[in-house]
């Protein structure tokens, strides 16, 4: 089980980026895939998740209506489309497989992480 995140970079405020998380092995048997981020000096926080069973999604309040998570089952890849980026979105972004949350909605919290992928840096700056 391996996760490979990519797509990070430097973007101006208001710009867009799309992150990819390519999964190999049996990761798509997990309940969901989530994105986390960690800014310098801050704890890693959940951003968004998508359930493997039905494609339902969840978002942190800070990214709602700006970020969209999606998946391509044929290619075992989950995407995070980020729009209207702000300097406070600057962080290393990580994808991870998540255990079942116990409800119909996935929960992108560290306690439910099974496997972490490596991070990809996103920098929002003019």
């Amino acid at each position: 089980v391996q996760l490979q995140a990519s797509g990070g970079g430097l973007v101006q405020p208001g710009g867009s980026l799309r992150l990819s998380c390519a999964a190999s092995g049996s990761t798509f048997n997990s309940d969901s895939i989530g994105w986390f981020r960690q800014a310098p000096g801050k704890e890693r926080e959940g951003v968004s998740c998508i359930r493997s069973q039905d494609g339902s999604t969840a978002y942190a309040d800070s990214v709602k209506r700006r970020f969209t998570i999606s998946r391509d089952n044929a290619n075992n890849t989950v995407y995070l489309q980020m729009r209207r980026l702000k300097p406070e979105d600057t962080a290393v972004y990580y994808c991870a497989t998540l255990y079942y949350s116990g409800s119909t909605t996935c929960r992108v919290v560290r306690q439910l992480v099974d496997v972490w992928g490596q991070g990809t840096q996103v920098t929002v700056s003019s």
Side-chain angles (χ1 to χ4, degrees):
V1 173
Q2 289 187 326
L3 301 175
Q4 182 76 29
S6 62
L10 173 64
V11 63
Q12 292 187 342
S16 299
L17 278 177
R18 189 178 77 160
L19 306 183
S20 299
C21 177
S24 61
S26 61
T27 56
F28 266 59
N29 292 325
S30 63
D31 181 77
S32 55
I33 301 287
W35 284 98
F36 293 77
R37 66 186 182 185
Q38 188 166 19
K42 294 188 177 181
E43 292 192 355
R44 195 170 298 187
E45 63 175 359
V47 174
S48 181
C49 56
I50 184 166
R51 291 196 72 193
S52 303
Q53 181 181 28
D54 58 10
S56 60
T57 60
Y59 296 91
D61 288 343
S62 60
V63 306
K64 281 181 180 177
R65 293 175 293 281
R66 298 191 299 122
F67 291 11
T68 303
I69 192 170
S70 62
R71 63 182 185 176
D72 179 348
N73 286 342
N75 292 308
N76 278 2
T77 301
V78 169
Y79 302 100
L80 186 68
Q81 177 68 54
M82 306 185 294
R83 299 180 177 87
R84 291 184 281 134
L85 284 160
K86 305 175 181 180
E88 51 263 44
D89 294 318
T90 295
V92 179
Y93 283 71
Y94 301 87
C95 58
T97 61
L98 299 167
Y99 291 116
Y100 177 55
S101 69
S103 74
T104 57
T105 304
C106 57
R107 293 180 61 215
V108 56
V109 295
R110 295 182 67 175
Q111 298 93 317
L112 292 177
V113 171
D114 180 18
V115 175
W116 287 103
Q118 96 295 352
T120 185
Q121 175 72 47
V122 172
T123 303
V124 185
S125 175
S126 55

